[in-house]
Amino acid sequence: MNTPDRFLHRVHQRARFNALVWSLTLAALATFLHLATSLNWLPPSAPLVIGHWSLVISSAIVLTIWIRRSRRLSAHSLARRLDAEWSLAARLESSAELASDRSALASAQRADAARHLDAHPAPGAAGWFSGVTLLALVGLLLLTQVSLLGLRALGPDPEVAQPAALPPDISATIVWETPESEIKATAIEEILLVALATSRTGLRSLSLEIAVNGEPRLSRPLDTAMLATLAKPGAHPVDVALYLDEVAAEEFDLVSYHLRAERLTATPTPPVASPLQFIQIRPPREDVIHLKTPPGGGGSDLNLLATLLGNLKAAQLQLLKQNFLLAHATIDHASTAWREENTRITADQKLLAQKTTEAREFAITEALPTLVVDNLTQCIPLMESAAVQIAAAANEPAAKPQGQALGLIVASEKLIRKIMIESQGQAGPPGPKNHDPFKNEQTFKLPPRANTPAGQLEQLAQAQANAAAGQAASNKKDPLAEQADLAAKLAALAAAKSLDPAAQAKTAQAALDAAEAARQLAQGDTAAARAPGAAAAQALREATAAQEAAGRATAQAVLENIRRELNAAESLADPAARAEALAAATAQLRAEAIAQQQTGSAEAARQLAATAAKTAQGANSADDAAAAAQAVLTPRDHALARAARQLSRASQPGPGSVGSAPEVELGAQLAAQLLADPAARELSGNLIAGLRARSGSANTVVPPDLRGAADKLVALLEAARQSGRRDEQVRRFNPDDLDAVYRPAVEAYFEKLSRDAK
């Protein structure tokens, strides 16, 4: 049982010093934050400074309150307040006055007050114990900080190793997206190279390094505009064209290339290099020499030698790529993992030199072509020299003899591949299949849509639509964090200014609306956040629609020009000139496909990439693919009207019709893709064949006997346009058109409505 005097003493002490304890706690917390920045426990920041001074000011305010209240707070005044609050009829105040009285009456009074106190806990206990506990914890932290500061003042112990500061993150990578690592191409082709450069510090310079048969041939730096973009940290796409005619490569030469960059750092750092890629130059036409007898040996020996050369080429190619990656690896060259990999490549290069010696001995024994023997003889010391340099950790210089040896092997294949044996009698068994690492046809791949600005716009539009639809849902985990993240991403996309102007404006407006929705959610007003969230979703839908429309319009114009070039290439008599025209059209289609994938229409990118694949195969299939792509990307009514206008040029004889034949041919190709009628397709094909057979040049008029076919196609196109239009006739309501059975019910219903209205 609590005695009234001890109860009052305990409550009085807590009420008197509680504010002082909390003032000291706040001051200790402020001191802890200040010392934490001195010890580098916390990084200096504006919020930390604001929090420190807020604690200091709060401590001063609480201390002022304590000084003012402690003067007026006495045991008697506290007893009167508790008597009034707990309805004790002045029992505590009487106990305080009779504290020194030892009479029976005073003892009875104190016992009665103690019985009434058992039903009331001591006030202020929670605040008092919380403040004391927190003050003790902060005191321990302050004691630790003061001890560390004392040790720092005495200086570090020279016998104790100090932890080294973490180096800054200067990582950077360059990864190829297209083409494949080994391809074949003619000596006049333009190869579109696409890579992704990622860096933490930005890149100072970037150049395309090209070598032919291991000999450096050309170093071409990128333009200033692209370097300005690469100077910013982050991931940036790199588009560069490789013109093979600039390096003067010959048939069966081996062209290697890679991107080389310098980091944007204050101190010199090792360069960054992309993986090494290869192009084998193939002839424009795969000519084959047929001989009755093999030179110096049987057909099976020649096949076996071709297989050996193919295997040597594939092995040397892989060793060259592995050595190049090892030379530009970011790990320490003194590490165990690097040295083990370097030792493995050295051993493989030595083994390949031995296998080359065996192939040379086989060529000598079987009296095979002398040029092959001579080339293999030169390869052996080059491979051995490369192995010695790799073993000495001179990996980058070792790439030169490796490339030279690879070029000699390819030159040997140049002779073997131009000889095909036409056997007479019993042929020998075929040799093992030769797996050529170089692909005859380049596999063109579009960059992933999700990593492009257009793809990000589509993803953000879907995410904002989902957020706007689910803001009021009770099971939403954190709508505020989601909406704030969407607003930040939209603002970054709008600031990049990489979209179509119309889509860019809508994206910027969506960023503002999304930020307003996040602000309303932060204030707890979910209902008010719905309107700006829905507005942001609508703006993004309009942005994606504008981006799609702009991309399709651009792709339509590109396809129209490409179709003209393909039709003109069809009339070229020189195969080399035709191949060059097709290569140029293929490069243009691939470049536009990548541009559409980055900032345009995804469907346009797919259609352009498919057309580029057909263009690489030949003009005939390219004509149909380009027309089909244009028909898909153009609204049907507009496409029908365009084809009709182009075909109508056939009915305009005279000087004004000069050059109408190319237009009519374009219209016929488009009509063949738009009209599903087999007769219309046959009519289009006959018209195109007739124009190509009778046209001596691109600028010519349509012959009179072909104008009728063009007019028939125009009529079919107009019929297709009319059948696709909906009935626009306006029909008015006529009661006489109703069935007689329903008339009484309808009249009764309207009569009832008129009576109820009165």
Side-chain angles (χ1 to χ4, degrees):
M1 180 182 295
N2 288 331
T3 59
D5 52 347
R6 285 185 296 178
F7 178 83
L8 281 176
H9 177 75
R10 183 169 63 253
V11 172
H12 180 257
Q13 293 300 318
R14 291 177 182 175
R16 183 177 180 184
F17 294 104
N18 190 38
L20 178 61
V21 169
W22 278 103
S23 176
L24 293 175
T25 302
L26 294 174
L29 284 173
T31 307
F32 168 76
L33 291 179
H34 178 72
L35 295 179
T37 56
S38 301
L39 293 170
N40 294 325
W41 288 6
L42 296 174
S45 61
L48 190 65
V49 175
I50 295 175
H52 171 262
W53 286 108
S54 299
L55 291 173
V56 172
I57 295 173
S58 300
S59 175
I61 294 174
V62 174
L63 182 62
T64 303
I65 294 174
W66 172 76
I67 293 174
R68 295 185 60 184
R69 289 185 177 180
S70 62
R71 295 177 180 178
R72 297 177 296 178
L73 185 63
S74 62
H76 289 281
S77 62
L78 180 61
R80 284 195 297 271
R81 181 169 64 82
L82 293 177
D83 284 333
E85 183 177 347
W86 293 342
S87 302
L88 296 180
R91 285 182 173 85
L92 287 179
E93 185 178 3
S94 300
S95 297
E97 293 178 353
L98 299 175
S100 58
D101 192 349
R102 295 291 180 264
S103 63
L105 179 61
S107 299
Q109 196 277 336
R110 285 192 292 271
D112 178 64
R115 285 194 300 272
H116 284 80
L117 286 177
D118 288 339
H120 301 283
W128 170 263
F129 286 115
S130 299
V132 171
T133 303
L134 185 58
L135 181 61
L137 292 176
V138 177
L140 290 175
L141 292 175
L142 287 177
L143 181 61
T144 303
Q145 289 178 328
V146 171
S147 301
L148 292 176
L149 289 174
L151 293 175
R152 178 180 293 183
L154 295 175
D157 190 351
E159 298 181 358
V160 179
Q162 300 298 319
L166 294 176
D169 188 359
I170 58 171
S171 60
T173 58
I174 304 176
V175 181
W176 289 109
E177 294 185 352
T178 186
E180 294 185 0
S181 58
E182 298 96 14
I183 63 173
K184 289 182 179 180
T186 61
I188 60 173
E189 282 193 47
E190 173 189 356
I191 310 298
L192 182 62
L193 311 178
V194 180
L196 184 67
T198 306
S199 66
R200 294 284 187 177
T201 61
L203 300 178
R204 177 182 291 107
S205 64
L206 185 65
S207 61
L208 179 63
E209 306 293 333
I210 308 171
V212 178
N213 295 332
E215 293 289 342
R217 186 65 60 88
L218 179 64
S219 177
R220 182 149 59 88
L222 270 67
D223 55 38
T224 308
M226 188 173 294
L227 287 177
T229 303
L230 294 174
K232 303 175 183 178
H236 305 285
V238 178
D239 301 338
V240 59
L242 170 57
Y243 303 97
L244 292 175
D245 56 349
E246 290 185 348
V247 298
E250 300 178 356
E251 294 179 9
F252 294 97
D253 280 346
L254 201 65
V255 178
S256 60
Y257 61 91
H258 69 278
L259 290 172
R260 185 183 183 92
E262 298 289 341
R263 296 180 177 90
L264 191 61
T265 55
T267 58
T269 55
V272 184
S274 69
L276 196 62
Q277 305 222 127
F278 299 89
I279 303 173
Q280 183 174 334
I281 304 300
R282 59 176 173 82
R285 298 174 57 187
E286 295 292 346
D287 294 330
V288 178
I289 302 175
H290 295 270
L291 297 181
K292 296 298 181 182
T293 57
S300 60
D301 296 334
L302 198 63
N303 289 335
L304 183 55
L305 178 61
T307 302
L308 290 174
L309 290 174
N311 293 336
L312 290 175
K313 180 179 71 174
Q316 184 60 73
L317 179 68
Q318 291 302 318
L319 286 174
L320 177 56
K321 294 171 64 176
Q322 293 171 7
N323 178 57
F324 184 84
L325 291 175
L326 202 61
H328 296 85
T330 56
I331 63 175
D332 186 8
H333 291 190
S335 64
T336 304
W338 191 93
R339 285 188 282 105
E340 289 178 353
E341 185 67 15
N342 192 65
T343 302
R344 183 192 65 80
I345 295 176
T346 302
D348 290 346
Q349 188 66 70
K350 291 180 180 178
L351 180 61
L352 186 60
Q354 297 175 7
K355 294 297 182 182
T356 306
T357 303
E358 295 176 6
R360 171 181 171 275
E361 296 300 329
F362 172 78
I364 294 174
T365 303
E366 300 298 330
L368 294 175
T370 307
L371 178 61
V372 175
V373 176
D374 183 57
N375 287 343
L376 293 177
T377 303
Q378 297 179 58
C379 282
I380 296 170
L382 288 172
M383 292 179 177
E384 292 175 347
S385 173
V388 172
Q389 289 178 318
I390 295 173
N395 300 82
E396 194 163 1
K400 183 176 180 179
Q402 282 183 312
Q404 291 173 341
L406 185 59
L408 289 170
I409 297 173
V410 172
S412 301
E413 276 195 319
K414 177 178 180 179
L415 175 62
I416 300 301
R417 289 192 178 189
K418 281 193 172 283
I419 300 175
M420 178 177 287
I421 305 304
E422 191 177 272
S423 65
Q424 294 179 338
Q426 184 67 28
K433 187 177 180 181
N434 178 22
H435 296 280
D436 192 348
F438 291 90
K439 313 307 189 291
N440 244 328
E441 298 296 338
Q442 299 180 31
T443 303
F444 175 72
K445 296 180 181 179
L446 290 171
R449 180 77 170 178
N451 299 335
T452 64
Q456 293 173 8
L457 175 63
E458 294 165 355
Q459 293 175 358
L460 291 175
Q462 183 61 46
Q464 181 60 47
N466 295 338
Q471 280 176 353
S474 58
N475 59 351
K476 197 73 174 178
K477 292 183 179 180
D478 193 356
L480 172 59
E482 181 183 8
Q483 188 61 71
D485 182 59
L486 286 173
K489 291 180 178 178
L490 287 170
L493 183 60
K497 297 182 179 181
S498 56
L499 302 173
D500 178 75
Q504 191 74 41
K506 292 294 183 181
T507 304
Q509 181 59 45
L512 297 177
D513 292 333
E516 175 62 20
R519 190 182 69 84
Q520 295 291 350
L521 288 174
Q523 296 179 356
D525 196 345
T526 305
R530 294 174 187 169
Q538 178 61 28
L540 288 174
R541 283 192 291 270
E542 295 174 358
T544 54
Q547 190 73 17
E548 181 72 17
R552 285 177 176 252
T554 303
Q556 293 168 26
V558 170
L559 286 170
E560 182 77 13
N561 294 331
I562 290 293
R563 290 176 59 209
R564 297 178 191 275
E565 296 176 6
L566 292 176
N567 291 340
E570 181 65 21
S571 62
L572 295 175
D574 185 7
R578 179 188 296 180
E580 185 174 359
L582 289 177
T586 302
Q588 186 178 353
L589 284 168
R590 288 176 175 175
E592 182 59 29
I594 291 178
Q596 289 289 337
Q597 186 78 337
Q598 294 281 351
T599 59
S601 165
E603 178 62 26
R606 287 192 292 269
Q607 293 294 333
L608 289 167
T611 306
K614 293 290 185 180
T615 307
Q617 298 174 3
N620 292 330
S621 60
D623 294 341
D624 297 336
Q630 188 172 357
V632 170
L633 298 177
T634 308
R636 180 171 175 78
D637 190 65
H638 293 175
L640 290 169
R642 182 173 187 81
R645 286 195 304 270
Q646 290 175 329
L647 286 168
S648 298
R649 296 288 298 275
S651 301
Q652 300 175 4
S657 65
V658 173
S660 62
E663 292 291 325
V664 175
E665 186 175 355
L666 290 174
Q669 291 170 345
L670 190 57
Q673 300 297 328
L674 294 170
L675 299 175
D677 186 6
R681 290 179 175 270
E682 183 179 359
L683 189 62
S684 300
N686 294 337
L687 179 57
I688 294 171
L691 289 172
R692 291 180 176 176
R694 305 188 186 190
S695 297
S697 63
N699 295 322
T700 183
V701 298
V702 178
D705 56 340
L706 296 179
R707 295 174 188 167
D711 292 339
K712 290 180 182 179
L713 279 177
V714 171
L716 291 174
L717 291 169
E718 289 296 335
R721 289 184 65 193
Q722 295 300 329
S723 63
R725 295 179 178 177
R726 63 185 180 90
D727 186 10
E728 298 291 345
Q729 182 181 3
V730 178
R731 300 185 58 192
R732 297 183 179 275
F733 174 73
N734 186 3
D736 295 334
D737 294 338
L738 295 175
D739 194 321
V741 177
Y742 299 103
R743 288 180 185 175
V746 173
E747 292 175 356
Y749 174 74
F750 282 104
E751 184 178 357
K752 181 178 182 302
L753 287 179
S754 63
R755 287 198 306 267
D756 293 343
K758 296 178 180 179

